[in-house]
Amino acid sequence: MQDRFFNFVLNRPWLVLLLSALFVMAAAVGGKNLVFKSDYRVFFSDENPQLMAFEAMQKVYSKSDNVAFVLSPKNGEVFTPATLAAIKQLTEDAWQIPYSTRVDSITNYQHTEAEEDDLFVADLVLEADELPDMDMQQLKDIAVDEPLLVDKLLSDKGHVTVVNVTVQLPAIDPTKEVPEVVTFARELRDQFVTANPDIEVRLSGVVMLNNAFAESSLGDQATLVPAMFLMVLVAMIFLLRSITGTLASLVVIIFSILSTMGLAGWMGFYLTGPSATTPIMVLTLAVADCVHILASMFYDMRHGATKRDALMHSLKLNLTPVFLTSATTAIGFLSMNFSDSPPFNDLGNMVAMGVMLAFVFSVTTFPALLTVLPMKVKVVDESHSGAMEKLADVVIQRRKVLLPGMALVIAGSVVLLPNNVLNDDFVKYFDQTVPFRQATDYMADNMSGLTTIEISIGSGESSGINDPGFVKALGDFSDWLREQPETDHVNTLSDTLKRLNKNMHGDDEAYYTLPQDRELSAQYLLLYEMSLPYGLDLNNQLDVDKSSTRVIATFQNLTSSEQLDIENRIYRWFAEQAPQLQVEVASPTLMFAHIGQRNIISMLMGTAIALVLISVLLAFALRSLKFGAISLIPNMAPAAMGFGVWFMIDGQIGLALSVVAGMTLGIVVDDTVHFLSKYLHARRDKGYGTEAAVRYAFSSVGRALVITTLVLAAGFLVLAQSSFKLNADMGLLTAITIVIALIVDFLFLPPLLMLLDKDDKAAVNADTNNKHTSATSASV
Amino acid sequence: MKNKLMNKVFTSLALTAATTVSMAAHASELDASLTPEQQGLAISQASKDSDEGWQDMQGEMNMVLRNKQGQESVRAVRMSSLEVQGDGDKSLSVFDEPRDVKGTAFLSFSHAVGADEQWLYLPALKRVKRIASRNKSGPFMGSEFAYEDLSSFEVEKYTYKYVGTEACGELQCYVVENYPVDKNSGYTRRIAWIDTAELRAQKVDFYDRKNSLLKTLTYEGYKEYEGKHWRPDLMKMVNHQSGKSTDLAWSGYRFKTGLKDADFNKNTLKRAGR
């Protein structure tokens, strides 16, 4: 069956090539359906409780997706007639941004003051042409004193200000809406900068965040994928010293990527930051199959076999291990289905598909190509004193030191693992080269950032927000929240009520207090609401029934655990101070804060299941329960050690890193499979003793393992260059884990085997006899 | 019936367009010799004229506000209006619900040209407060109706463009675009569907400042009062951007109740709430 199949491939190479090319083309057409979803919400499944809470809150109040124009006049002063006129113009122009529903700035801030017996409500800067005659210091004093503005729309020094545009994306086509808004906002910024060269403009906000996901990932596609191809090309030419082999491998890689992405398109996948790395991962993983097949083939050819015979032998020899390693890699990636975050489910499924496609191409297209392409290999005497044999000698001689030494190293790095801190800060998902990150950091440094928590406080009765008890609780809570050390800004209705009370008493500062009477409070609000123009109403703070209100707090940059801590403190405050009120706390920040933890718990489960599946597969493949069990150690240790090493490099783990353990499991298993299968081949079929079998394993697969590890590590290190830190960290930790796996397989596994797999007497003889002979030429 | 209407339209045409358009004997609301702008104006003028002479009106309106989450809230308002010849109407509204604003009263002088004048009486403060006039685009009592959607329709508030005639439910409607004259309006334009039978507004689409569809208002249950004044029982406003909506149900329409100009001032406003 296997022979007939490979004979067919080698006898009818053109037909095989044509068929596979047709398949790839048909699949690749599906790529047109692949679109990038630029929305941070894709990181959350529909059932995610934090997302559900946040969506519910947005339905009650209004959406808070925004574009923030961060303006900094070069002279360091916002309050000049020219700058204010420019801000006023931008405020008006910003209404033209698609899907905008509200624009807030210091110029259209609805300033209230008492004017004789009337309440005067109007834009702080009403007419641009009146500006030259206005008292700038007075305007500045009003703005800097206003808790709604300072640290949110205006820095306390008055040198940086924000024009905040709220957009309500219809979410009918999320792939188009965000770019549409961003394109418009950037044009507006460019026009503004041309007209006002003395004002710097930066763009931040949730919409820019969403956009950064897409731009950052697509930027990677344009730079990292070509870089990766180049690297693989150079590495393969250098390591395999065969142009034909390299070319054929490249075709397999390209076919694998095209058909994976194409099929994903047909299946209705969409791209997200993490899943957009699929091409790089498939590229990296597909190389290994080709390298193994080529290595065996070249080995035979160097020993004088014809190309066809060598290829045939290599295919038969490698079919099982290549299938096995592909399957385990696929299982490892499929473990990502346990992730709570859909982009990682997609990444796992797409790469798993890609790895299996790569396997199919490497046993069909690849040999067909090698058949039709010219190829020469010099017949050389294989030197047996190569690096691998030397390494084998060292490992065997020093096994008494290596075993406890490596055990210590493993234990030492695993001990560091729990010290990693959970953190998912979506701003830090981007490195400092990304404009969104720069703008957001700048905004956070001068005012407040995007770390917000929204608190909906419900009274449980219609118009209940006017109840003096409720108003007092709201005021107390807002004061308490402002006193928390992490707090930058609190947007609360209690400030508005205090201000109105003051205005209604002839602007007497003594009345900057909360109204004590329900009717009074309700009627102040009614009057104020009836005085507000379109887009500046209170609907974003009040529900229709006036039974609940939303407080929005902005914090300094916090780690996820600090965010969860403040969330708990908020709930505790209400439990202790106002247990009668209904409190909901939600925000994108909190969604990310929770998902890291949720994801780690679910990924532990996924990784455990993958481990069991892979171990069972290994036990079957190795036809030994004992070796299946032994393989657990070198399979599990690398990821655990990788996280230990990570603590020394970064120490923060989040959404992306929690999938690394499962993902690398499938990859590192390959080394063990190759090493153990050669070891067992020597033990069982050749009757070697443990030492000789170790030596045989080193000399037959050692070089291939080093090559594939180098290629894999290099591939994931290329990914580590991504400006999207989520992907970069994933790449770096995976590369580290893969290198650790090789070290463990070379330095720890052999001494372990020699300890646990005791020689019988016959084998000891063979072992000593063959100490310095080639593993392949040895025979018993 | 049809003849009566044609006459109405003809009259208004004569009034508004006579100077520029030579009047043909068979002039109708869709005189091909008129520009779309003139046709739009003619239809709107005819619609306004057909309702002329109601003098004063009283009624109760019940507003139900809904958000995307399905929560509801009710406002109850008693309203009296006075027809003012040659300018916008005057109206006085008294709020009965929500309970904590009960007795609050709202007086509005709508003007054909220029900003409206508005006052609010707050019973908790026992004072009348004037409200800034630039707020016409703002929401009325937190609803999806803006002030400008509720204040009286005056021809001078817009410029017009007739777009076509199409079916609207069982009726045929003129479709007319309205462009607000006042820069404080929240809209770039409105598209009104006015039925050809009685020249009543059946539906209005509102386009926001960036010319995106913001809201749709539909009128239901038109009834004829005093032999010529058509009033809807229900006005439904849906905000397409926020997913919120407001139903405004009318009841107890009474016409020619004898209200006078003296019933609409700051003093009557204070008394009205009690």
Side-chain angles (χ1 to χ4, degrees), chain A residues 494-515:
Chain A
S494 59
D495 288 342
T496 308
L497 285 172
K498 284 181 187 170
R499 179 157 44 86
L500 289 173
N501 200 29
K502 182 184 90 170
N503 297 146
M504 291 307 210
H505 290 91
D507 280 347
D508 184 348
E509 280 299 335
Y511 284 93
Y512 190 76
T513 54
L514 290 166

Side-chain angles (χ1 to χ4, degrees), chain A residues 172-420:
Chain A
I172 295 162
D173 188 352
T175 59
K176 294 217 178 71
E177 290 159 8
V178 166
E180 207 182 326
V181 174
V182 171
T183 307
F184 198 99
R186 285 187 177 151
E187 277 168 19
L188 203 56
R189 174 199 58 193
D190 295 345
Q191 287 165 16
F192 183 86
V193 172
T194 314
N196 305 282
D198 291 332
I199 304 177
E200 283 175 26
V201 186
R202 293 172 177 81
L203 290 176
S204 181
V206 173
V207 175
M208 299 311 291
L209 163 74
N210 285 338
N211 184 64
F213 280 121
E215 273 186 359
S216 200
S217 307
L218 296 178
D220 283 357
Q221 302 302 305
T223 53
L224 298 189
V225 174
M228 183 65 201
F229 262 108
L230 192 69
M231 206 215 58
V232 166
L233 203 70
V234 171
M236 289 186 76
I237 290 178
F238 182 73
L239 296 169
L240 294 171
R241 297 187 198 97
S242 161
I243 304 277
T244 306
T246 305
L247 271 182
S249 305
L250 271 186
V251 170
V252 167
I253 291 166
I254 292 170
F255 273 21
S256 305
I257 294 176
L258 283 180
S259 48
T260 304
M261 300 313 279
L263 286 176
W266 285 124
M267 291 178 199
F269 280 87
Y270 52 82
L271 290 180
T272 54
S275 67
T277 60
T278 304
I280 295 181
M281 296 211 178
V282 171
L283 200 166
T284 309
L285 295 166
V287 172
D289 296 344
C290 302
V291 167
H292 280 290
I293 292 172
L294 278 178
S296 307
M297 179 184 169
F298 288 164
Y299 184 90
D300 281 6
M301 285 174 79
R302 284 197 197 97
H303 286 83
T306 64
K307 186 169 89 173
R308 197 196 142 99
D309 287 349
L311 188 54
M312 191 69 184
H313 182 229
S314 169
L315 285 172
K316 284 194 214 164
L317 199 68
N318 282 300
L319 183 67
T320 311
V322 169
F323 172 75
L324 208 58
T325 53
S326 299
T328 52
T329 304
I331 291 174
F333 274 90
L334 287 174
S335 76
M336 287 193 193
N337 278 300
F338 282 83
S339 170
D340 272 340
S341 186
F344 292 97
N345 307 155
D346 292 352
L347 174 64
N349 291 330
M350 283 163 75
V351 176
M353 184 164 71
V355 166
M356 292 322 288
L357 283 167
F359 162 72
V360 173
F361 288 127
S362 16
V363 295
T364 53
T365 319
F366 190 56
L369 263 176
L370 292 177
T371 307
V372 298
L373 291 173
M375 182 188 291
K376 267 188 208 147
V377 168
K378 274 187 199 152
V379 179
V380 287
D381 270 338
E382 198 73 352
S383 151
H384 301 306
S385 54
M388 279 304 136
E389 285 76 6
K390 280 182 189 152
L391 181 62
D393 285 344
V394 171
V395 171
I396 292 167
Q397 278 160 17
R398 301 278 163 87
R399 64 176 187 262
K400 295 247 161 57
V401 187
L402 277 174
L403 191 63
M406 280 302 291
L408 265 179
V409 170
I410 293 174
S413 42
V414 173
V415 161
L416 295 175
L417 187 154
N419 295 333
N420 284 297

